Amino acid sequence: MAELLNIRVKTLTPLWTGGIDGACDRLHVSGIIGSLRWWYEAIIRGLGGDACDPAGYDKCKFDLKEFQKDKNKGENEQDALERAGLCDACKIFGATGWSRRLRVKIDEHQIMPAWNGPTLNIRPPDRSRGWFLNPGHWGTFTLILHGEKTILEQLADLILFLEQWGALGAKNQLGYGVFRLENRKEIEQYAGRWRWFVTGNKPAGECPDLRRFGFFNLRFKTENDHWWTYIPALERLLGEKNTARALKQTEERGMIPLAPVLKNTWRFHDWQGPFSIAQWLFGASRGEEDRVRSKVNVSWAYRNGEEWEMRGWVWLPPKDGNGQVIASQHLQKLWECFCNENIWSNVLKINSPELVFRPAERRWRGKTPEEVRGFLEESICSSS
Ligand SMILES: [Zn+2]
């Protein structure tokens, strides 16, 4: 029987759900569902199971006749779907011939542009072009999910995980989509009935896979409210009236667009490996940003009570875009950058931040499905 689950979301950094002009547009449901599917797939693969790449050649092909035949024989629906060619992600999120098992609506009670005014060009002094940030959305809204109980339980669990370590919508690589749940208790009750299981031991491949993800979270206190105005890339924007006003507005809303500043340091100061692998991991710029999506995702700085917080994740796949194995020392060096408090302190000009990373080891390695399961359970328990 279908049920309803309301998820009340407060944005901590701007939310980007697609459309040409994120500022003037509404929230797009498809952008939210797309990100839920992306994470769901990464989890399923991380647990050793099967999730196709819906944009790839190997995407699931649903055999309706086979499905109906099995159903008529009185087979369990989940088994029949699997035999008809659907992976776990397609079963919920749909495939050609099999519609999505989930209806999603958005109630935008309090959503507005994250700032009024111009695109912000965050350009550290050593860059000629820098990064371009558009406003996106800010405020609170409700996601109304309608579907079978077991599906809602999994999504409740997924949302709790994303609140802790992930994000919603697009442009996560530029720090968009971090959020807080306003009705967490309700969602926890729902999620409490769901358990993730290791479903196989397929090796990690070309698609996002939680076994190859690393997560980090930085908290810090500052002596005054102006700390961020001394960071050169932002100082420059404060010298111009329109961009200064936009930045003040984001500050009042408890968020400072610092993602590019960290990415600049990791990529152009700390990275020692080949240029082609940097492009694969950090994304191709100069109008090609969408061609190779950055695997390094870091949020803006946002307020969390008395403190500030920044967080993010990296996906360090075993191979590059040409199918060549990436030498482990490059991935190791990169992981050390994210885990290095001193880099964060120097870039942000702050003192004694508290840095947490998962897996909690400075040596980079892929995880096992069992470790992924443990991490999911730990994350969801500690969010309460
Ligand atoms: Zn599939």
Side-chain angles (χ1 to χ4, degrees), residues 34-330:
S35 64
L36 291 175
R37 177 171 189 149
W38 190 89
W39 280 101
Y40 187 79
E41 289 169 7
I43 288 177
I44 293 297
R45 294 184 197 114
L47 292 165
D50 206 8
C52 71
D53 172 4
Y57 295 112
D58 70 334
K59 70 174 178 189
C60 296
K61 289 180 190 64
F62 181 55
D63 185 340
L64 180 65
K65 274 193 187 135
E66 183 69 28
F67 176 68
Q68 280 168 339
K69 205 173 75 192
D70 281 354
K71 279 283 274 186
N72 290 340
K73 277 194 278 179
E75 298 266 0
N76 166 301
E77 180 168 279
Q78 293 300 311
D79 295 342
L81 285 172
E82 197 168 319
R83 263 203 292 281
L86 293 193
C87 69
D88 286 345
C90 283
K91 282 182 196 168
I92 295 181
F93 291 97
T96 308
W98 177 250
S99 62
R100 193 168 63 228
R101 296 294 100 176
L102 175 73
R103 267 185 292 156
V104 184
K105 278 197 244 165
I106 296 181
D107 178 1
E108 303 182 38
H109 30 91
Q110 243 196 328
I111 278 293
M112 57 198 83
W115 66 87
N116 302 307
T119 298
L120 294 175
N121 175 207
I122 313 280
R123 185 166 65 76
D126 58 336
R127 292 269 71 71
S128 59
R129 190 169 179 275
W131 284 262
F132 293 86
L133 304 178
N134 289 311
H137 293 95
W138 176 83
T140 55
F141 65 96
T142 303
L143 274 180
I144 306 161
L145 307 184
H146 186 245
E148 294 287 330
K149 205 168 100 183
T150 51
I151 291 175
L152 295 187
E153 284 170 6
Q154 294 181 59
L155 289 173
D157 218 71
L158 174 63
I159 292 270
L160 287 171
F161 174 71
L162 297 184
E163 183 198 27
Q164 177 101 341
W165 292 111
L168 282 174
K171 291 187 191 273
N172 302 154
Q173 68 275 28
L174 290 173
Y176 290 69
V178 177
F179 65 98
R180 179 178 299 138
L181 294 168
E182 298 218 297
N183 61 334
R184 191 187 296 125
K185 278 274 162 295
E186 210 178 305
I187 297 164
E188 276 169 358
Q189 272 179 6
Y190 233 96
R193 300 175 222 147
W194 178 253
R195 290 284 169 275
W196 298 103
F197 286 108
V198 171
T199 49
N201 203 6
K202 287 189 78 166
E206 291 160 21
C207 293
D209 183 320
L210 233 60
R211 287 173 291 186
R212 306 289 306 189
F213 278 32
F215 297 85
F216 43 84
N217 179 311
L218 184 89
R219 286 182 192 185
F220 54 96
K221 286 200 170 86
T222 58
E223 280 166 25
N224 58 57
D225 289 342
H226 312 298
W227 62 277
W228 57 276
T229 63
Y230 306 115
I231 296 169
L234 296 185
E235 211 170 18
R236 199 179 64 86
L237 293 176
L238 289 171
E240 208 264 311
K241 210 172 74 186
N242 282 335
T243 48
R245 198 188 303 133
L247 275 181
K248 287 285 174 202
Q249 209 172 2
T250 67
E251 186 206 16
E252 282 162 20
R253 293 172 172 179
M255 49 194 189
I256 313 287
L258 285 167
V261 182
L262 264 304
K263 294 188 88 166
N264 184 56
T265 299
W266 291 328
R267 177 169 188 170
F268 295 104
H269 298 219
D270 298 318
W271 174 258
Q272 311 274 321
F275 177 73
S276 63
I277 299 178
Q279 275 204 323
W280 174 242
L281 296 175
F282 285 96
S285 55
R286 297 205 176 269
E288 298 173 341
E289 186 84 17
D290 295 331
R291 199 168 59 82
V292 180
R293 186 190 146 145
S294 172
K295 289 150 192 76
V296 178
N297 303 271
V298 56
S299 78
W300 298 16
Y302 54 89
R303 271 193 196 281
N304 185 5
E306 293 292 291
E307 293 180 311
W308 287 89
E309 196 165 302
M310 283 182 87
R311 66 184 162 90
W313 73 89
V314 289
W315 167 34
L316 301 180
K319 292 179 183 173
D320 69 12
N322 301 318
Q324 302 290 317
V325 173
I326 302 174
S328 62
Q329 77 263 23
H330 295 319

